[in-house]
Amino acid sequence: MKRQARRALVAGNWKMNGLKGSRREVSALARRLGAAAFNPKCDVMVCPPATLVTLLRESAKGSRVKIGAQDCHWNPTGAHTGDVSAEMLKDAGAVSVIVGHSERRSDHGETDGMVNAKAQAAYRAGLGAIICVGETEAERKAGRTLRVIGGQLKGSLPENADARNTVIAYEPVWAIGTGLTPTTDDVAEVHKYIRKRVAALLSDETASKMRILYGGSVKPANADELMAIDNVDGALVGGASLKAADFLGIIAAYL
Ligand code: 13P
């Protein structure tokens, strides 16, 4: 176990999965995580669909598991059919919200400017923002990875972002849900670059304290290796966060 420069965060992004929407299963998973989330070396968060935020908040009560959400609108209220505001998520019991996930960027055409506005909405509501960036396979093959991520950071990271209200997640689009992961050298290169860009955009102090998560096919079998890379301060986990044993196996990288 390497010495940690920053307290790690392992966050589960359930995406549009609610374990078949079964209240019993969802509660049981939250309780299992709660019982095991005693780990003093990392924070544990679960980001379920908005419909399950309150249920999970209740189930995780008394434990150290924090509850987040997956997206928010940039306005606090109004005529935006189908959307949920950051204030509503806070009201439901979330402490944080993911913004700019590549699935939002591709499924809903979200731009860096929209992601920036969503992050600011999170701060306004008193939520933390987990801001996602990452290159596509074509961009990596064209040698444009760092340029793409630099541009996403410049556009998506609000000027008033700091290490308390913001976590960055590096998620290569081609590694999400595919079982593929970048080499440890590639992850190290991107995370180092992200910290450098955050220093240039915000400040050296903010950059040294801000957590930068890796996401994309993280599982128990590769968590030790990925979490040991310099400048990797935790994981944003998709598929493997849906099974308690797998999610706990990833958290175990910090035991
Ligand atoms: P997988 O862990 O399923 O690859 O998903 C990663 C992700 O998109 C988390 O936000």
Side-chain angles (χ1 to χ4, degrees):
M1 183 56 232
K2 67 167 181 174
R3 229 187 96 252
Q4 284 176 230
R6 291 154 291 273
R7 185 175 170 77
L9 168 65
V10 177
N13 173 9
W14 283 12
K15 308 193 178 184
M16 203 169 68
N17 296 291
L19 297 175
K20 302 193 186 99
S22 149
R23 288 181 73 90
R24 234 186 26 215
E25 280 179 65
V26 171
S27 300
L29 173 56
R31 272 199 308 276
R32 233 186 119 186
L33 288 179
F38 52 81
N39 189 331
K41 298 202 191 91
C42 81
D43 293 331
V44 175
M45 188 184 292
V46 175
C47 302
T51 51
L52 292 175
V53 166
T54 302
L55 172 63
L56 277 181
R57 180 72 200 93
E58 296 291 309
S59 308
K61 224 171 220 155
S63 83
R64 295 198 191 167
V65 177
K66 297 184 165 85
I67 307 303
Q70 299 175 14
D71 178 51
C72 64
H73 197 276
W74 48 82
N75 282 338
T77 55
H80 303 287
T81 303
D83 277 313
V84 177
S85 72
E87 281 78 0
M88 289 167 172
L89 295 171
K90 165 100 177 169
D91 193 40
V95 296
S96 201
V97 60
I98 298 168
V99 293
H101 191 281
S102 70
E103 288 150 15
R104 298 289 318 173
R105 290 177 186 262
S106 65
D107 291 358
H108 299 272
E110 291 190 5
T111 62
D112 292 332
M114 290 155 91
V115 175
N116 190 309
K118 288 176 180 219
Q120 292 190 54
Y123 308 156
R124 181 190 65 218
L127 299 180
I130 300 176
I131 300 177
C132 302
V133 295
E135 82 286 3
T136 63
E137 187 180 18
E139 288 162 344
R140 175 159 283 275
K141 283 192 171 145
R144 298 185 57 233
T145 298
L146 298 186
R147 211 171 331 143
V148 166
I149 287 166
Q152 289 174 335
L153 285 172
K154 189 169 189 311
S156 309
L157 197 60
E159 281 174 8
N160 56 340
D162 63 35
R164 273 180 306 106
N165 63 20
T166 301
V167 171
I168 293 175
Y170 167 52
E171 299 206 307
V173 177
W174 53 272
I176 294 176
T178 58
L180 303 172
T181 52
T183 64
T184 53
D185 283 352
D186 286 343
V187 174
E189 181 189 35
V190 174
H191 278 242
K192 187 175 168 192
Y193 175 75
I194 291 174
R195 203 170 298 289
K196 202 174 94 188
R197 289 303 304 153
V198 172
L201 291 164
L202 301 173
S203 72
D204 285 343
E205 200 198 336
T206 297
S208 73
K209 292 186 180 156
M210 193 169 281
R211 296 188 284 193
I212 306 172
L213 313 184
Y214 168 78
S217 297
V218 180
K219 28 184 183 276
N222 61 21
D224 277 345
E225 190 180 25
L226 288 165
M227 298 304 109
I229 299 170
D230 273 354
N231 289 307
V232 173
D233 307 312
L236 184 54
V237 185
S241 71
L242 292 167
K243 286 201 197 112
D246 287 350
F247 196 46
L248 292 169
I250 292 166
I251 295 166
Y254 288 101
L255 286 180

